[in-house]
Amino acid sequence: MSSPKQHSNRLRPLGIAVVAIICGTILILSLPFLQAQDKPVIAIKGGTVLTMAGETIEGGTVVMWEGKIVAVGKQVSIPEGAQIIDATGKYVMPGIIDAMTYYGVRPFALNDRANPITPENKVILAYYPFGRMMHGEKGIVKDKEILSGGVTTVYIAPGDQQVIGGQGAVVKTYGADYEAFTLREPAAIDMCIGDPPKQEMTYIGARPPLTRMGIATLLRKTLLGAQQFDKKIKDYEEKTDEEKEKMPPPPRNLGMEAVIKLLDKDIPARIESDFVDDIRTAIRICDEFDVDLIVDSGLGAYKVKDILAEKNIPVVLGTPTHPFVQGGEVSMSPDLYREMNDYNAAELHKAGVKLALGSFSFAFGGFGYATSGRWLLIEAAYLTGFDVSDEDALKMITINAAQILGVDNRVGSLEKGKDADVIILDGYPLNIKTWVDQVFIDGESVYRKEGGPK
Amino acid sequence: MSIIKKVVLFSFVIALLTAMSLFSVNPTEAIALKGALVHTVAGPPIENATILIEDGKIVAIGQNVSIPTGAKIIDATGKSIIPGLIDNHSHMGAYVPNDLNEMPQPIGPENRAIDALHMSTPDWDEAVKGGVTTIVTGPGSGERMGGQSVTIKTFGKDLETRILKESGELKMAINGINLSHIPTIHSNFLKAREYLEKWKKYESGDKKGPPPPRDLAMEALAKALKGEEVVRVHIMWANDIMSFLKLKDEFGFELQFIHAPEAWKVADEIAKRNVPVICMPIELAINVPESLLRGIVTLHKAGVKLAMHSDHPVSPQKWFRINASMAIRYGLPKEEALKAVTINPAEMAKVDDRVGSIAKGKDADLIVLDGPWYEATTPVDLVFVDGVIAYDRQQDKKLSEEDL
């Protein structure tokens, strides 16, 4: 009777040989790639490609290499040796963009409560990409949070409890090094006009603002201060070298330097305001100082749709099903219910206002929830029930969001030369039963649904 | 009838009324109001008069007015018509979301009520029902200098057309007797005078060198010093009134007093300096000995120009008219009381070119009453704002009958 041990002993030399041959073959086959590139060529074949750049391609192919999209189309030659992903019967579209979140920032760190005006604060410095939601870790992650919703790019903002919270940033939802995953920083300066930054009149000596008047005055003073600071610097720079030696340069001021970027129109002001009256105030102040404006949340924006369209002011709407609509303002002021209108997005769109959707959701480590951000596709689908076309709804979470955030040169659509942020869905994107199968960021597969493509 | 049915019917009626009111917003249509006793305020009352409204303006008033064909004729026989009421000091729109007082900033003349204006509160509709068509609404009295008010109509197509004056009327307040209140205001006016001098020097010179740095607060006060803005003071005691009159003597700004229950004690001093008083008879009747109500007549006899205010929400905007009635009860002549709620506040807010009386060329803001205008029992039948029916009691009555 031969023991199993003996049996295995007899087979061992053969096994080693087989393993050696397989390894050798793989090594030889992959040599050209190892020499030429870090990332392989990936071709997603056969799916319905929603490029968001105009046309939809039935049975199209998307080729990605070195983190970029190198070809999109029906007749695309796939390089030899490319990794081919069969997406027949599936939908391929650009990664979803959430135009307004508080992701990755400790909720307590969102606001500098002692100070109403902190334009010098940078949200990117408080951003923590290693939590459960944010996937700083390399490799395929198993948690099904933001990536499982196909969200690949987000705007992160400081909180809304201050009049000027600080500088926001546009980041990708994957990666550990903020220099690598940041698309634009600063992308805007975040402000709020409305109830959130107001202090309760609990004790004498509370810091301003207590009222909307105070908010407006603080904004005006800050912008005026920046104008004067800018002038001081320019006056100094115009001096001759001799004069410069005699007198010191004006002292630096990080906050004012940031606000000057607004005045120079390098970045826009993003003002969160829900009541139409507050939106008007935002427009009034930005007009006074000639500053670009993006209205955030904008529950009552449809009441001034023509003004917004005429002045080319985009609106980042809160998602329709958010439990507090957003920012908690509705629960704070019953009057805000009068402002709400399910057709807000449709009315604004018809008037010609550029729109994006923002989840305004929090997510940090194990805390908080990213639900509304995760289901951004379903939020967009909800809008299509209220006079928004499917295409427009999808644009609000892809190319339009990218344009509003000023990152449309890199993300937002499937076009040659753009970042390879691609998602594969197992059905029509706006169907309730559709799931995201696979997510690529910079050409790297960062998420796969269990049971999805291997 | 079940509650659900009632609710459904009620909402239907509201929807219908909304639709009807939207339909009636058609200012291009000519309207003729016929047969009423018209208190024009611009002149003596006209009996059996006809008012012709076109494009939101009054185009003719008199006993012999030819009505163009196609004009909508409203029979107002037996009724009286007065101009839309003007409340010279209110906090409507800023009170509800608590945007009145920027407490941590006691000197904030640069604050502007327009930035805090809240248009979706139901108070605006209530004001229209009471016949109040224009209000000056502004910051509260929690600070020494609260900010600037906005003059606005209570009804209209959109905010742009409703606003008569976006900012002005620097609101200040002296609360009770406090050692620091007058000196704080005094020193800020001194600062503003220096600021103004600096700018005048810069502008009258050849504008060499850098301009003086802008300061929003000083800019606002400098406007008062230049006579472009009015200073309005919430004030209570006679000694504070005297102190403020002396500030006026020193700086020469245009001054108006609000509340001022003790103004009558220094009526001559006030009259001498041409300072109008914006009073609130309802408040006086509630808060102070009744005898002080007679002070309003004292002021009038001394030659002080009077206006009235509701200080909404201190007294409801809707019942603003009762202020004039109370003043009449304590001896103010009827025509003076009417002026105090129409043309006088319009002049004080510098919007009398558009509102405040029934005259050719003015905005068609008027109210039709079913009886003498000053009686508390007289209901408001119709309210016109810019020639549009903003309130119709017939429709309101129908609503309440359905509701019951």
Side-chain angles (χ1 to χ4, degrees):
Chain A
M1 186 184 143
S2 62
S3 70
K5 204 181 174 194
Q6 274 176 329
H7 185 71
S8 74
N9 274 349
R10 196 151 26 99
L11 285 175
R12 192 178 287 163
L14 186 66
I16 291 168
V18 168
V19 169
I21 289 165
I22 293 170
C23 287
T25 316
I26 292 171
L27 197 66
I28 290 160
L29 282 175
S30 59
L31 257 178
F33 290 107
L34 287 174
Q35 284 167 352
Q37 69 222 28
D38 295 335
K39 294 169 183 174
V41 175
I42 300 172
I44 304 167
K45 242 182 92 177
T48 305
V49 183
L50 303 166
T51 62
M52 290 297 133
E55 74 274 47
T56 295
I57 309 162
E58 301 279 349
T61 303
V62 180
V63 184
M64 307 182 280
W65 181 58
E66 292 257 282
K68 297 280 176 190
I69 294 166
V70 292
V72 184
K74 209 171 172 81
Q75 311 293 338
V76 173
S77 62
I78 300 167
E80 216 172 297
Q83 182 192 339
I84 291 171
I85 295 167
D86 183 17
T88 309
K90 303 191 174 180
Y91 280 78
V92 181
M93 66 178 287
I96 306 297
I97 300 173
D98 190 340
M100 184 70 186
T101 73
Y102 304 110
Y103 286 153
V105 184
R106 204 180 287 269
F108 308 107
L110 277 168
N111 296 288
D112 180 351
R113 291 203 155 266
N115 195 345
I117 302 277
T118 54
E120 65 274 20
N121 286 359
K122 281 171 170 283
V123 75
I124 196 78
L125 300 179
Y127 179 68
Y128 178 81
F130 302 101
R132 189 160 66 88
M133 319 290 180
M134 302 316 299
H135 309 309
E137 294 88 350
K138 279 277 170 189
I140 306 275
V141 287
K142 287 190 174 147
D143 294 288
K144 297 173 180 176
E145 291 294 345
I146 296 158
L147 284 175
S148 70
V151 179
T152 57
T153 299
V154 294
Y155 179 85
I156 47 173
D160 59 2
Q161 313 283 307
Q162 291 170 270
V163 176
I164 298 185
Q167 304 163 36
V170 184
V171 298
K172 294 200 179 176
T173 51
Y174 182 77
D177 175 4
Y178 71 73
E179 278 181 9
F181 61 63
T182 302
L183 283 169
R184 192 179 181 207
E185 204 285 324
I189 294 186
D190 281 275
M191 316 181 184
C192 182
I193 298 177
D195 288 320
K198 277 165 58 180
Q199 297 287 297
E200 291 296 319
M201 204 159 37
T202 47
Y203 61 99
I204 291 171
R207 70 135 165 96
L210 254 59
T211 65
R212 284 173 162 80
M213 287 189 301
I215 293 170
T217 295
L218 283 171
L219 280 177
R220 284 200 180 93
K221 275 187 179 165
T222 309
L223 288 161
L224 183 63
Q227 271 180 352
Q228 288 167 351
F229 183 81
D230 192 27
K231 194 164 181 311
K232 244 188 243 170
I233 291 174
K234 281 182 181 148
D235 285 351
Y236 183 79
E237 280 166 359
E238 276 172 18
K239 286 189 194 325
T240 60
D241 289 345
E242 273 177 39
E243 282 173 319
K244 274 183 187 172
E245 265 177 38
K246 277 179 201 161
M247 67 187 287
R252 286 192 62 190
N253 182 330
L254 293 178
M256 289 297 111
E257 282 166 23
V259 181
I260 286 172
K261 288 181 186 158
L262 286 182
L263 298 171
D264 290 346
K265 298 199 170 196
D266 289 343
I267 51 173
R270 289 191 64 161
I271 305 190
E272 180 187 317
S273 40
D274 277 326
F275 283 110
V276 66
D277 316 311
D278 297 336
I279 297 171
R280 280 179 191 276
T281 303
I283 296 170
R284 190 180 306 123
I285 292 173
C286 286
D287 273 359
E288 278 169 33
F289 291 90
D290 194 20
V291 167
D292 284 340
L293 169 65
I294 298 172
V295 173
D296 279 344
S297 191
L299 282 182
Y302 62 96
K303 292 184 179 174
V304 284
K305 57 186 178 182
D306 294 331
I307 300 175
L308 292 168
E310 187 203 316
K311 293 183 187 287
N312 225 345
I313 298 169
V315 180
V316 176
L317 296 168
T319 48
T321 66
H322 193 288
F324 306 110
V325 181
Q326 79 70 31
E329 267 215 272
V330 168
S331 54
M332 276 166 68
S333 29
D335 268 353
L336 207 46
Y337 283 107
R338 292 160 178 271
E339 304 280 273
M340 289 167 68
N341 183 344
D342 285 334
Y343 292 89
N344 191 12
E347 297 242 331
L348 287 168
H349 178 72
K350 268 180 230 152
V353 180
K354 183 157 278 180
L355 298 175
L357 270 186
S359 69
F360 292 79
S361 56
F362 295 81
F364 177 81
F367 304 117
Y369 45 91
T371 45
S372 48
R374 183 181 172 194
W375 305 124
L376 214 56
L377 274 166
I378 294 172
E379 302 283 358
Y382 177 88
L383 286 181
T384 62
F386 296 94
D387 273 9
V388 177
S389 74
D390 288 14
E391 194 196 344
D392 292 332
L394 285 173
K395 276 185 174 176
M396 281 180 206
I397 53 172
T398 53
I399 185 66
N400 281 10
Q403 283 166 356
I404 291 172
L405 299 178
V407 292
D408 55 316
N409 59 332
R410 288 196 46 194
V411 296
S413 62
L414 298 180
E415 282 176 283
K416 195 181 164 184
K418 284 205 180 184
D419 288 8
D421 295 355
V422 185
I423 61 174
I424 304 174
L425 303 112
D426 63 5
Y428 186 62
L430 297 175
N431 281 355
I432 198 79
K433 289 280 277 180
T434 295
W435 291 87
V436 174
D437 262 356
Q438 195 166 6
V439 178
F440 295 88
I441 292 184
D442 292 332
E444 197 178 334
S445 174
V446 293
Y447 168 81
R448 276 179 200 168
K449 183 176 174 283
E450 272 168 46
K454 290 283 164 358
Chain B
M1 195 189 275
S2 75
I3 287 172
I4 293 172
K5 270 187 185 168
K6 268 187 192 174
V7 169
V8 167
L9 188 67
F10 185 58
S11 0
F12 177 70
V13 169
I14 287 197
L16 194 71
L17 285 178
T18 317
M20 282 165 80
S21 62
L22 284 176
F23 193 66
S24 68
V25 176
N26 183 10
T28 50
E29 187 185 42
I31 299 171
L33 280 163
K34 263 181 76 175
L37 167 66
V38 180
H39 302 271
T40 63
V41 182
I46 309 170
E47 272 181 62
N48 198 14
T50 301
I51 303 172
L52 191 63
I53 301 168
E54 254 174 56
D55 282 332
K57 301 272 179 193
I58 296 162
V59 290
I61 160 86
Q63 281 174 335
N64 303 309
V65 172
S66 61
I67 300 166
T69 48
K72 181 181 171 189
I73 296 171
I74 296 172
D75 184 21
T77 312
K79 313 217 167 178
S80 56
I81 295 179
I82 60 172
L85 302 176
I86 302 175
D87 183 350
N88 218 354
H89 176 64
S90 166
H91 300 299
M92 181 135 62
Y95 166 70
V96 175
N98 201 4
D99 284 316
L100 272 178
N101 290 305
E102 185 60 27
M103 288 291 203
Q105 191 194 0
I107 301 293
E110 73 273 38
N111 286 340
R112 294 161 73 189
I114 178 101
D115 295 326
L117 210 58
H118 186 63
M119 301 310 291
S120 51
T121 154
D123 300 17
W124 295 98
D125 310 334
E126 291 297 307
V128 174
K129 284 186 194 173
V132 181
T133 55
T134 299
I135 58 166
V136 180
T137 179
S141 305
E143 306 80 37
R144 304 295 70 71
M145 297 187 184
Q148 306 175 27
S149 306
V150 50
T151 309
I152 184 170
K153 294 202 179 182
T154 51
F155 177 91
K157 199 166 83 243
D158 50 39
L159 192 61
E160 284 75 16
T161 53
R162 278 169 69 171
I163 290 176
L164 292 169
K165 219 168 85 182
E166 196 176 278
S167 54
E169 279 97 32
L170 299 175
K171 172 77 192 294
M172 302 186 187
I174 307 292
N175 286 326
I177 294 172
N178 185 314
L179 279 179
S180 72
H181 285 184
I182 294 280
T184 315
I185 291 174
H186 192 171
S187 55
N188 273 284
F189 268 118
L190 286 173
K191 256 196 263 174
R193 189 150 71 180
E194 273 169 35
Y195 179 85
L196 184 62
E197 287 305 318
K198 255 190 234 166
W199 271 96
K200 269 187 186 163
K201 210 172 147 192
Y202 170 75
E203 272 167 2
S204 63
D206 41 11
K207 294 195 179 178
K208 262 188 195 163
R214 272 181 75 195
D215 183 319
L216 295 174
M218 290 303 128
E219 218 168 71
L221 289 180
K223 272 189 186 169
L225 293 177
K226 281 191 278 184
E228 291 170 10
E229 295 288 7
V230 178
V231 173
R232 286 193 163 182
V233 198
H234 158 114
I235 208 157
M236 293 293 163
W237 307 96
N239 61 329
D240 284 337
I241 292 175
M242 282 313 295
S243 306
F244 228 103
L245 288 175
K246 280 171 189 161
L247 282 181
K248 177 186 161 61
D249 292 347
E250 184 178 344
F251 293 100
F253 49 71
E254 204 177 321
L255 180 62
Q256 294 167 5
F257 288 129
I258 311 173
H259 293 275
E262 289 205 329
W264 60 278
K265 292 185 178 170
V266 287
D268 292 337
E269 296 287 337
I270 295 173
K272 204 161 74 188
R273 291 169 177 88
N274 271 331
V275 175
V277 172
I278 305 163
C279 59
M280 190 175 158
I282 289 188
E283 182 195 39
L284 296 182
I286 297 166
N287 292 340
V288 296
E290 200 184 53
S291 61
L292 295 194
L293 268 163
R294 300 182 205 282
I296 292 171
V297 184
T298 314
L299 286 170
H300 169 61
K301 280 182 183 157
V304 176
K305 190 194 254 187
L306 292 171
M308 286 170 198
H309 70 105
S310 72
D311 209 8
H312 178 87
V314 175
S315 79
Q317 191 75 74
K318 189 177 176 179
W319 305 118
F320 175 60
R321 186 164 53 102
I322 307 296
N323 278 293
S325 309
M326 287 299 277
I328 291 167
R329 181 177 163 90
Y330 284 90
L332 193 68
K334 282 171 194 152
E335 58 275 19
E336 277 309 314
L338 183 58
K339 274 187 186 173
V341 289
T342 55
I343 190 70
N344 286 2
E347 283 170 4
M348 287 184 203
K350 299 193 172 28
V351 290
D352 54 316
D353 58 325
R354 284 191 54 189
V355 295
S357 61
I358 301 175
K360 198 179 158 185
K362 283 210 178 183
D363 289 6
D365 295 357
L366 35 92
I367 56 182
V368 181
L369 298 118
D370 196 6
W373 69 269
Y374 46 83
E375 289 294 351
T377 51
T378 303
V380 175
D381 265 5
L382 279 173
V383 178
F384 287 86
V385 179
D386 289 326
V388 174
I389 297 176
Y391 172 70
D392 185 345
R393 192 165 69 96
Q394 289 306 313
Q395 289 181 8
D396 207 26
K397 213 163 78 180
K398 237 193 273 174
L399 174 70
S400 53
E401 276 166 10
E402 292 281 357
D403 195 21
L404 293 166

